[in-house]
Amino acid sequence: MLKPLAALLLLLSLGHFAYANDNSYDAEGEQRAKSAGSPLIGQAAPAVTLTTLDGKQIDLAQLYGKKPVYLKFWATWCVPCRQQMPGFEAIKQKLGDQIEVIAVNTGFSDDAEAIRAYRKAQGLTMPIAIDDGTLATALNLRVTPQHVVIGRDGKIMHVGHLDDQALHTALQQAISEKAQPVALAAGASAAPTFTVGDKVSHLGITLLNGRPMDFAAANQKPRAIVFFAPWCESYLAESRPQTAKSCQFVREEAEKLMASEKHVEWVGVSSGLWVSRADLQEYQKSGGSSLPLALNEDDSLFRAFGIRDIPSVVLLDSQNRVARILGPQDRQLADAIKNLK
């Protein structure tokens, strides 16, 4: 049996919308969402203020106790998100006066221009906010789409991936609840980020082979941290072709530079979105990359450097200072590495 990631890549090699007829992959997405969301059920929902595409503020804490809330995480490049979007709009039209319906774009390799264009094309009427990673962290985002239903009392009732009966049952239960004391909402705030010139402190990750890598340790070689997702080149080939090509370029360039520039230590850090440890191990085993790899399941390292787009490369000098951050469109990786002392 193919591993989940390998199966996804094979399906996508046969056609971008092969997802639509693959019930096993639906089940895989649901399992990932349920596994990540199960510790949240019955817990107080996070107190986060969202900013919509139109600049309006939505303070979730102010909604708790007044109306139930339905959050849907999504991305414009996500195939099942697109498939579910007509149903999502239908829920807004039918239940929008009884439950606060909010579309939360992950902000992961997405941008406001693409989101606005998609909103217009689909005729979406619910408020749309772009997450900076704060809400995704608080709600253990692991897949797209991911549905979160919050009851009138401010407690999380449902986390899932599918637009199925379980979701609709949770929505109806949330709406039918009588007024209850509001749970004390958990605070959530954006993590501080390291930018160019900053010296990194208290930051590290464990590689797949179990070796810890401390980015704040003294007397280290300069480091190149490649932020990526193993599905980038295949999954985004149609919906984000330039991003897919950038992922291929960075992967190939990093492989060459790791072999020629011995003064730099390399590591590939994968997002936890649609990636498990087993997926990343399979990717490494199948020859996806010869770089030492690590899974950043909650994307905390991504946020520590303000990374919202893949591929990105963060360069640290021998004093653990951020020397440069290269984004998807940068093609100066070779020169930047040679200048990294």
Side-chain angles (χ1 to χ4, degrees):
M1 182 179 292
L2 288 172
K3 297 288 186 180
L5 178 64
L8 171 61
L9 299 184
L10 176 59
L11 285 168
L12 290 169
S13 71
L14 298 175
H16 186 67
F17 289 94
Y19 179 102
N21 297 315
D22 186 65
N23 293 331
S24 65
Y25 200 66
D26 283 340
E28 175 66 21
E30 181 70 1
Q31 188 278 326
R32 292 182 190 228
K34 290 291 188 184
S35 178
S38 60
L40 302 176
I41 302 300
Q43 300 298 311
V48 173
T49 299
L50 301 172
T51 302
T52 71
L53 280 177
D54 304 314
K56 296 180 180 178
Q57 300 287 306
I58 301 177
D59 185 347
L60 295 182
Q62 293 299 312
L63 294 174
Y64 306 150
K66 299 176 183 177
K67 291 178 69 175
V69 177
Y70 171 30
L71 305 172
K72 179 176 179 176
F73 287 93
W74 66 292
T76 62
W77 45 259
C78 163
V79 175
C81 297
R82 292 176 172 182
Q83 293 170 343
Q84 290 186 16
M85 200 56 79
F88 187 45
E89 175 61 26
I91 289 172
K92 165 62 178 175
Q93 294 293 336
K94 182 179 179 180
L95 305 176
D97 60 337
Q98 302 174 75
I99 186 169
E100 195 73 23
V101 178
I102 305 170
V104 183
N105 186 278
T106 65
F108 188 83
S109 283
D110 225 337
D111 58 68
E113 182 179 356
I115 298 167
R116 286 193 176 94
Y118 186 81
R119 177 177 66 177
K120 182 178 181 180
Q122 297 297 314
L124 302 180
T125 59
M126 76 285 294
I128 299 176
I130 303 178
D131 186 32
D132 63 0
T134 303
L135 190 58
T137 299
L139 294 175
N140 292 350
L141 180 67
R142 294 292 182 272
V143 295
T144 51
Q146 184 161 304
H147 308 269
V148 181
V149 179
I150 302 167
R152 200 180 303 275
D153 60 356
K155 292 183 179 179
I156 297 169
M157 298 177 58
H158 173 85
V159 178
H161 169 66
L162 300 176
D163 180 2
D164 59 3
Q165 187 57 51
L167 168 64
H168 290 267
T169 297
L171 291 171
Q172 290 299 330
Q173 288 177 342
I175 290 170
S176 63
E177 277 187 340
K178 295 181 180 180
Q180 299 180 38
V182 178
L184 182 62
S189 58
T193 57
F194 297 101
T195 60
V196 174
D198 292 342
K199 187 169 184 176
V200 173
S201 61
H202 307 296
L203 199 64
I205 199 165
T206 300
L207 304 181
L208 286 181
N209 63 11
R211 180 169 70 90
M213 182 174 283
D214 183 359
F215 297 119
N219 302 317
Q220 296 293 318
K221 286 183 177 180
R223 288 194 172 106
I225 310 170
V226 181
F227 290 90
F228 78 110
W231 42 260
C232 174
E233 293 178 48
S234 296
Y235 193 81
L236 299 184
E238 184 173 331
S239 61
R240 285 287 187 276
Q242 287 304 118
T243 300
K245 289 177 182 178
S246 293
C247 284
Q248 179 181 352
F249 170 82
V250 169
R251 175 178 57 79
E252 294 174 346
E253 193 78 348
E255 297 287 342
K256 291 188 295 185
L257 292 169
M258 187 174 68
S260 62
E261 302 294 337
K262 303 294 187 180
H263 69 290
V264 175
E265 184 175 19
W266 291 79
V267 60
V269 177
S270 171
S271 168
L273 190 63
W274 277 109
V275 184
S276 68
R277 182 179 177 83
D279 293 331
L280 195 58
Q281 288 173 328
E282 182 68 20
Y283 174 76
Q284 189 176 53
K285 182 180 178 181
S286 65
S289 175
S290 63
L291 269 65
L293 298 181
L295 175 63
N296 188 207
E297 190 173 39
D298 64 357
D299 283 6
S300 56
L301 202 60
F302 280 69
R303 293 191 305 280
F305 292 106
I307 303 299
R308 300 303 295 155
D309 297 295
I310 54 171
S312 292
V313 182
V314 173
L315 302 181
L316 304 180
D317 65 19
S318 59
Q319 302 301 313
N320 304 321
R321 290 188 297 264
V322 181
R324 190 163 180 181
I325 299 177
L326 296 95
Q329 305 309 316
D330 290 321
R331 292 293 185 269
Q332 301 85 31
L333 181 57
D335 290 338
I337 289 295
K338 289 177 181 178
N339 293 328
L340 188 61
K341 304 298 183 182

